[in-house]
Amino acid sequence: MPGGRTKVYFDGGCRPNPGRMEAAVVVRGEVHLFSDMGQGGSLDAEWLALIEALSIVRAQGLDDAVLLGDALAVVGKAQEVLATGRAEGVHATRFHALAEAGPPVRLRWIRRGQNLAGIALARRHPR
């Protein structure tokens, strides 16, 4: 992309925890919402959000994207998968397969208040 790297924000959640999972991905200002992702816990939802984000990156042919998420445990584990090539568990294995299917993946942790996908999910469920 001319002018720099494409930022791709992702966030997952469930209500209650564990409960019905959902996710959001924001790419170039476009919000992608995923509502019916099954039942699970918050970490499962975060993994699924990351997988959806990477799927969108691959579908849009983005060669220079950085995936930005606020779930430190998931971002850290996914970075480990990228660094070592070793994936344990269903979600990490799916992520690894997608990561290997295209250009190198960049992944970074951001604070919750910076996560546009998290903001999109919060707006979906106003208090």
Side-chain angles (χ1 to χ4, degrees):
M1 172 182 169
R5 191 167 289 144
T6 302
K7 293 179 180 178
V8 179
Y9 300 86
F10 67 92
D11 196 25
C14 55
R15 294 174 191 271
N17 185 14
R20 187 181 62 80
M21 295 184 295
E22 61 186 358
V25 176
V26 177
V27 183
R28 296 180 176 154
E30 183 179 350
V31 178
H32 303 262
L33 295 171
F34 304 89
S35 298
D36 191 14
M37 301 183 82
Q39 298 286 315
S42 59
L43 285 180
D44 293 313
E46 293 286 356
W47 270 110
L48 293 175
L50 172 58
I51 290 165
E52 292 295 346
L54 185 51
S55 295
I56 289 169
V57 165
R58 295 299 186 229
Q60 292 186 6
L62 301 174
D63 291 337
D64 194 16
V66 59
L67 303 170
L68 304 167
D70 61 31
L72 187 57
V74 171
V75 170
K77 185 63 179 173
Q79 286 173 329
E80 182 181 317
V81 168
L82 294 174
T84 65
R86 289 189 304 272
E88 296 177 17
V90 174
H91 301 314
T93 300
R94 284 182 60 201
F95 171 75
H96 183 255
L98 273 171
E100 292 292 305
V105 176
R106 291 179 179 86
L107 183 61
R108 200 173 86 218
W109 175 84
I110 58 174
R111 290 190 313 267
R112 186 164 203 64
Q114 297 174 303
N115 192 343
L116 299 181
I119 293 166
L121 276 181
R123 286 183 181 159
R124 189 172 195 191
H125 300 286
R127 292 181 185 237

